[in-house]
Structure formats: C-alpha cells, structure tokens
Amino acid sequence: MKKIQMVDLKGQYAQIKDRVDSSIMEVIENTAFVNGPEVHAFQKELEEYLGVRNVIPCANGTDALQIAMMGLGLEQGDEVITADFTFAATVEVIALLKLTPVLVDVDPVNFNIDIEAIKKAITPKTKAIVPVHLFGMAANMDAIMDLAKEHNLYVIEDNAQGIGSTFTGRDGQKVKTGGIGHVGTTSFFPSKNLGCYGDGGAIFTNDDELAHTIRGIVNHGMYERYHHDVVGVNSRLDSIQAAVLRAKLPHLDSYNKARRDAARKYTAAFTNETKIITPFICDSCDCHVFHQYTLRVKDTDRDALVKHLNENGIPCGVYYPIPLHSQKAYKDTRYNEADFPVTNAIVKDCISLPMHTELEDDQIAFITKTVIDFVNK
C-alpha cells in the first residue's frame, strides 16, 4: 500500500503533467502573466461549465466573498446571516467591510446553514444571507431563495468547497451550485476539488450589471486605464494559475466522481457501526462533491482517534474545532450558547478522513478498519 495522503496533489498532477507543463511554458513564453489569454479562456470555459452568464476571476476565495459584498453595495451596519460552522473567511469579510455578522446554527444531518435558524435571525437590518455549501454538500437553496424573496435579501453563495455539485430544485431542475443566488464565489486553493498551484478565486453571477460592477472592483475600480469609477481592490487571477485550472477543468466531473466513489466505499464499510455517523449521501449523489468526507463519532474520544490515526500513518482533519461565535475576533453579546446546540456538538465529535481523487481500495480498507477498531475497543 502506498503512503496515504490527506490530499494527493502529486498523484493528480502525474495524470495531467504534459498538459499542465506545456500550458505553463506557453504563458512564460508569451509573458502575458496578468489578464492574459489563459485567464480569459478559463473564464469562458468556467461560465459554460457552471451555466452562468458571468465569471469574474480574482486572486483568492476570500477576496471573492469580499468583492461580491462590495459589488452588492452593502453598507456599514447591514446584517449578513451566515453559518456558525464554517471556515472563518466567510465571516471575516463581513467584519472587514464593517457589516454586522449574524451567525446561526447548522443542520445536524448535512452541516449546512439551518433554515429555521435563518428565519429567527432575520431583522429589519438584514440585507443578505451567505449559505456555505460545506464540505461539498449543496445547501437547501430553494428554501434560502424563498426567504430572500420574501424579505428582499441578497443571497451570496460561498461555493469554495462545492464547485461541481448540483442542486435539484423542487421543480426538478438541476443547477450547479454557485449560480443560484444573486452572486456566488469560489476558491481555487490547491486542495480544492478544482485547485490551482497557488491562490486563486472567482465570482459568478447571472446579473450583467452586477458583473460589470465587480469587474471594475477587482481591478482598482477601473474600466478604462487610469479612470477609477468605483472603489476597488487589486485582486486578479494570474495567467499561470489560469493555465493550470484550464488543464484541470475538463477533469472536474471525473475528479468529483472519484470522490463520490470513495465516499460510498467509506460509508459502506461503516454501515453497521453504531458509534459512527457517516455523511449524508443523496440518491443521485450529485448534490455532494465530497471536498471532505466528515464523520461524527459518538461515545468516542475524537482527539484520541486523531492521535491514533496519525500514529498509524493516516492523516486526518478536524474542521472546525472552535465555533465562529466562540472565536475571540467574532464573540458578541448577541449570541446565546443555547442557539448553537448542533455546532457546539459537531465541533467536539467530527473528523474528516483522507479524501482525494487518487484514493485506492486498499487505503480505504486500512483507514476504515483502523477507525472501526478504535471506536470499538
């Protein structure tokens, strides 16, 4: 059995090495390092893949969220509702823009933002909802869009972990996540399902006017050189990263299929284990791209399990060990611990197992046996 990796970027690279190497060399030879042909080509290809009218590449996923909020014209003091159980970038940009973060609990089955909690959190100051497609699982976008329409709110999809996942609406229509809300964002951090070899991100929208505003924001507020029409930032995807992403994009569906296949094998191995709660998998499985395969372990010392796995050469992750409402930067007297029962439980008992496109059956068998032996000892 080969060494187990949490994310096997080297193995993935080996499969596309020729295309990646030649694409990078082409950028170096033509020296169009910023806003070059590779960036524009990737933008068009991603628009086609996602089925959205506009993709605006940028420097990273955190910038994408910030720029999306800037483009919507949110103002200081406006309330933005998002999930308590996610990476800090989601709430970080809200605070940076002097907006008011409103953190709410998540669903115990899929870990995404809880719809009833959103309803309770809406006030006259609420201006936007930021659902996170956490670990690659599509959030309940029908319910979220219904609330947004009822209360005249914006929806900003944080699709950093969910690119390629599909939401099936109540009308049966299938739509890629990121293209459902008023604006969507993603990250191309190397470990993501569609990752580059550095930092990168993008913003998606079907609103042409909003897209125009955002295109100016990402480039110092310029639509014409040295004419600064809006307050902007410097956040551009470089051409080398775009070249890598162009090489990977045609493989994204097969990458996600490999992740789903691995997830099914994990879940099958844990089927009879009462102390292990496996991730939700819908019938078609297209709603989840398994950026992470995250278990909950009951009546088990989760941290001791982490140590045991590491001692046996199995990397794992704990995403995320501290709720955002308990983080020093985001503590607020508005929050009541009783409002976060699910998040407060998940952070103590969840653990993410290795998940990537190169996982092999013998590795999965060893990982699952090691987990099962520990929880049943």
Side-chain angles (χ1 to χ4, degrees), residues 347-365:
V347 298
K348 296 174 183 176
D349 63 23
C350 70
I351 180 171
S352 297
L353 301 181
M355 174 53 73
H356 52 80
T357 58
E358 312 303 311
L359 273 173
E360 297 179 353
D361 287 353
D362 60 343
Q363 294 177 312
I364 293 173

Side-chain angles (χ1 to χ4, degrees), residues 42 46-47 49-50 52 54-68 87 89-90 93 130-133 136 156-165 176-179 183-196 198-205 214 218 235 237 245 249 252 256 289 291:
F42 172 66
L46 190 57
E47 286 171 349
Y49 175 82
L50 293 171
V52 297
N54 303 281
V55 166
I56 303 96
C58 64
N60 57 70
T62 305
D63 279 4
L65 280 167
Q66 177 177 324
I67 292 162
F87 183 58
T90 312
V93 296
V130 184
V132 182
H133 302 297
I156 305 158
E157 291 179 75
D158 183 341
N159 201 36
Q161 299 182 14
I163 194 161
S165 62
K176 294 290 188 187
T177 54
V183 61
T185 68
T186 201
S187 165
F188 300 125
F189 187 77
S191 62
K192 295 295 193 282
N193 293 36
L194 179 63
C196 55
D199 265 323
I203 305 141
F204 326 129
T205 183
I214 289 171
V218 301
S235 184
L237 180 70
L245 291 165
L249 182 57
L252 179 56
N256 287 338
V289 293
H291 175 62

